Structures are given as C-alpha cells and as structure tokens.
Amino acid sequence: MTAFVLVPGARLGSWAWDGVVPLLREAGHGVHSLTLSGLADRRGVTAGQRTHVQDIVDEVERHDLREVVLVGHSYAGVPVGQAAERIGERLARVVFVDSSVPVDGESFASQWPDGGVALKQAVAQNNGFWPVAPASHYDGHGLTEEQIARIVSNSTPHPGPTLTEPAVLTRPLGTLKATYVLCGPAGDEPDDDVAELVAAGHWRLVRMDTGHWPMFSRPRELARVLLDAAGE
C-alpha cells in the first residue's frame, strides 16, 4: 500500500486536497494531507523554509510511513524536494504538481523572473507575510466561481521567511524518482531546470490541460496521475 503525503502550495492548507483524498483512499492507499506551519489551522506558528521541510519529515516519521509518495503543489515543491532526501528508504517517488523545485542555495522567491523583488516587497508591506491573493488571481485556470470563492475564503497569508530562505540539497535532484505534472495548454514547456531533468531521462513529465490548481479543477484526473506515479 502506498502512503501518499499531500503538501499544498502557498497560502493553502490540507483542505486544498479534499477533492483528491477520497479518490486515493478508494483505490486502497493511505493518504496524509498536510498543513504546513503558519498556515490554515496552524496559523500563528512561526515558520521558515527549514520548518516546512521538517513538517514533512515529521509527518512521515510520526506515522512510520513506508512506500511514501510525496506530492508537492506549487510552492510546496521546494520543501518537498528537500524532505525527499531526508526520508531515505521510506521514499517511493516524488510528484511535483506544477511546482517550483528546490535549487541548492536559492529560495522560492529568487527563482522568480524578477529575482523575487515584487514578492519580497509584498511581504515587507504585509508584516512579514505574503498576502492572500484576490479572486482575479484565479481567473483563467478552469475554476468555477464557487471554487474560487472557496480558495480565497480559506486561504491564509503565507509566512515570508519560507519564501525567502534558501533551499539546502545534499545531492542532485536527478537522483530522485520523480514525476513532474505540468499544468497548462498544449505547447507549454516546463522551466529549464525541470526540462533538463526530463531530457536526461531522470524524471517523467505528465501534462494536464488545466490551470495551476488541478486539485480543484480536475481532482479525478489528478488522482489518476498520482496513482499512475505510485505504480511506476
């Protein structure tokens, strides 16, 4: 039995996976949907990048999970990629869902086209937190008005240090057994670092014709992708 550990992206909590969790459990697998420190029901907990990595490692070790498939969406790809190194033989596969990937010595913010300038300014102007995005931020991603309203109403400001502190990797990402899920219309291509890993034959690329939040827009299709990845 696979143990899925689902880690949501920035501003989100474990609730973001509500549409996916029952589908994985119906297939006979264990599922652990995680809320990272400082967010949702864990709001108020001080958090940096290392905290989020430790959150994931702790979840795996606390439940003594084996055959783990770590799943990280968006921002969560950064701590998930680091945690994957630390759980060792417990790990079966990593799935990066339209996510950033960790680069040793670089932060989530530093990988942005402007080097994270706008993000850091937003954090500085909001008491050290990345503010919740407005409803318009989710337009064009295949989401219904009800889904957008739910995302906005349940989102929480994201702890700034988790976005600006550097990742720490002890070995190349290519040593991980990984699947990258690219969301977007046909013709979209992954970032250069992911493209290199796919081209080298280390990672498998899966495309989903949907927006950046497939756990809401295409939960059944995403669950199938995750199940397929677990079977590789």
Side-chain angles (χ1 to χ4, degrees), residues 80-168:
V80 159
Q82 296 170 80
E85 292 187 335
R86 294 179 49 186
I87 65 173
E89 64 182 12
R90 296 173 182 269
L91 181 71
R93 196 168 191 87
V94 185
V95 183
F96 296 94
V97 179
D98 213 38
S99 74
S100 299
V101 297
V103 176
D104 188 48
E106 293 190 17
S107 67
F108 171 80
S110 66
Q111 296 182 46
W112 283 40
D114 66 350
V117 172
L119 188 157
K120 291 176 183 177
Q121 288 177 344
V123 169
Q125 294 167 1
N126 288 274
N127 300 312
F129 289 85
W130 199 18
V132 171
S136 59
H137 179 69
Y138 302 95
D139 289 344
H141 287 274
L143 299 165
T144 66
E145 290 184 5
E146 289 181 352
Q147 288 170 332
I148 292 174
R150 180 172 181 244
I151 295 171
V152 173
S153 64
N154 286 283
S155 292
T156 45
H158 192 99
T162 69
L163 307 169
T164 57
E165 291 177 357
V168 178

Side-chain angles (χ1 to χ4, degrees), residues 68 81 83 89 122 191 196:
V68 173
E89 64 182 12
D191 292 341
E196 289 176 8

Side-chain angles (χ1 to χ4, degrees), residues 12 15-17 20 142-143 147 150-151 213-219:
L12 307 178
W15 57 269
W17 300 100
V20 176
L143 299 165
Q147 288 170 332
R150 180 172 181 244
I151 295 171
W213 291 271
M215 63 281 292
F216 298 106
S217 60
R218 298 281 182 86

